[in-house]
Amino acid sequence: MLQGTGVSMALPWLSSMTPAFAGKPDEKSAAPKRFVAMTLGLGLIGDNLNPAIAGRDYKPSRYLKSAQDLRDQITVVSGSSHPGVKGGHRAEASILTATAMGSAGLVRNTISLDQYLAKHLGDATRFPSLVLSNGGSTSPSYTENGSMIPPEDSPSALFAKLFIDNSARQRDLQADRVRQGRSIMDLVGEDAKSLSRELGSGDRDRLDAYFTSVRDLEKRMAANERWAKMPKPKVDAKRPVDIGNGSDLIGRQRMMSSVIKLALQTDSSRYITYHIPGAGGVIPIKGVDEGYHGLSHHGRDEEKLSQLALIETEMINAWADFLRDLQSTNEATGNLLGNTAVFMTSNLGNSSNHDNRNMPVLLAGGGFRHGQHLAFDQKNNYPLPNLYVSILQRMGMPVDTFATSTGTMTGLEMAT
């Protein structure tokens, strides 16, 4: 009961608080390192995404032709997946945790990559992380205790939280809420300490782990008391108007991406996850007249594959435009793309048969040496969690493992 309360008080409380901004980075110091994960619920057609040959001299695939100006900023990875992860759509929960949930989803999930970063490095900004969606109530972001973090799916609401100031009275109320929360946790802590004297050693260990999480949360809440009274950043952009058509995934993707860029530029958050689920409606793209989810179950039907390719091409184009926006935004050292690792993947390698192997993987920016296709075994997949270790190390985390990793990703080097 105490542990469950700790989870509910931790991340949902922080994500519901009015955002502010972290102020301008010190001009004399290096720009902060950031991470953005864009995850897809219905995958990408591998034959259209992955180049035919490995290495740096690959010929661009159908999906990557329009992104050749970004070639030296992108790494394509094929033949990788999360060891032991199955379950088709259910594996959305495993995208960033790499935890095998079992065919019935009975296994408790673990912390996701973005939340691991936020836990250890997220205290420098108003938002330790932002969890976003293109529609729907699910996300691939999970707390240390395996609780899914509900996403924000409105670009307009996100913009308002980031950049539209509350009144002075509302800011005082926000700070008051933080202080009240800390007082409640003090009371719970006293009760729990009394309880611990009556517990066995195993339960005492579990309670100690709970106290550790409470102490971490108290530190965050103390910081948020300060943020609650600070004004928000001013940006040269208007509040977006949400797209009413829930099937317009590409339009929504572009709109949310523009707000994500502003969040990074103002250092409001450094760790952002954006999930694009599989909508059932017809996406408004010329040449597409069947529902997206239905097209994903193509069964190798040529007409369905043709329409699905039109949709996925536009998704990659929107992703590439997001990269260009980051690249064109200069910082004290380099540009936003060079200081932001942008990761795209999906739980599905083949949406038609719900296969979780051979996941689509694109990595851009973030100070890695890109411009290559890392092609691993399509039958005996390479562990994708190795890439997560590489990302964590690039972010400055002194770790050697994450989930089922066996080390860092072979062939992926950091830029000098």
Side-chain angles (χ1 to χ4, degrees), residues 234-249:
K234 304 300 180 184
V235 293
D236 186 18
K238 294 183 178 180
R239 181 176 180 173
V241 178
D242 290 340
I243 296 173
N245 182 0
S247 297
D248 189 2
L249 293 187

Side-chain angles (χ1 to χ4, degrees), residues 282-283 285-292 295 303 307 310-311:
V282 177
I283 297 180
I285 295 175
K286 185 178 179 181
V288 176
D289 56 22
E290 293 188 46
Y292 178 35
L295 290 173
E303 176 58 28
Q307 292 191 40
L310 293 174
I311 296 171

Side-chain angles (χ1 to χ4, degrees), residues 167-221:
S167 67
R169 181 175 180 276
Q170 287 173 318
R171 290 199 296 270
D172 287 341
L173 286 174
Q174 288 287 348
D176 214 33
R177 288 177 65 193
V178 176
R179 286 192 294 271
Q180 289 175 10
R182 292 173 65 192
S183 297
I184 292 170
M185 293 176 67
D186 288 341
L187 291 174
V188 172
E190 289 301 318
D191 290 342
K193 288 176 182 177
S194 297
L195 176 63
S196 67
R197 291 190 287 269
E198 304 174 18
L199 299 176
S201 59
D203 284 336
R204 281 198 298 271
D205 289 342
R206 283 187 284 273
L207 200 58
D208 182 64
Y210 166 72
F211 281 139
T212 300
S213 66
V214 167
R215 285 191 291 271
D216 290 342
L217 180 55
E218 285 176 335
K219 292 177 183 178
R220 291 193 186 184
M221 294 177 80

